[in-house]
Amino acid sequence: MATQYQNLSDYDATKVPDASAMKFGIVVSEWNQNITGALLHGAHSTLLKHGVKPDNIIIRFVPGAFELTFGAKKLAETNAELDAIIGLGCIIRGETPHFEFISQGVTQGFVDLNMKYDIPFIFGVLTDNDMQQSIDRSGGKHGNKGDEAAITAIKMAQYALDSQK
């Protein structure tokens, strides 16, 4: 979805399932910490807003976006009770192909995790052309991708639970 057409933090709260009995993991990249910290704040506060108990949110940090996949995998393997895992990161285009390699790698990593495990892994990674775009999408004029990732996690966790019935 194109951000210019939608604020990432705008959603219909009546369409969000009750999350009071759900448990979530959040893996956050330390790289571009000013951005990822804002994404974490958005995701965490949105989970709490929708009834998730503070003790039912596990937060782990990894060095960079590329490491999010491994961190999310380990979080799933060591916390079987989690209903969904959110990966939060920020990759900003530079002067070399590094941006493409990391973006493709972490994206494919999350696809693979979703195929391997029986819980949803939510891709909350910004892939922006410059720092201003990242600021705009982590609490700025386009809302907060962390909010969107949390809402997606709740909805997909409910979908997974409903699919087991």
Side-chain angles (χ1 to χ4, degrees), residues 81-94:
E81 74 282 358
L82 293 176
D83 294 296
I85 295 174
I86 302 167
L88 300 174
C90 175
I91 308 167
I92 300 173
R93 187 178 304 279

Side-chain angles (χ1 to χ4, degrees), residues 27-64:
V27 182
V28 186
S29 168
E30 295 173 335
W31 194 258
N32 292 315
Q33 192 168 18
N34 58 323
I35 301 299
T36 62
L39 295 172
L40 174 59
H41 176 75
H44 188 261
S45 62
T46 298
L47 291 173
L48 294 174
K49 177 181 172 182
H50 290 282
V52 180
K53 296 171 185 68
D55 290 345
N56 287 343
I57 303 170
I58 299 171
I59 301 169
R60 298 287 184 265
F61 294 90
V62 295

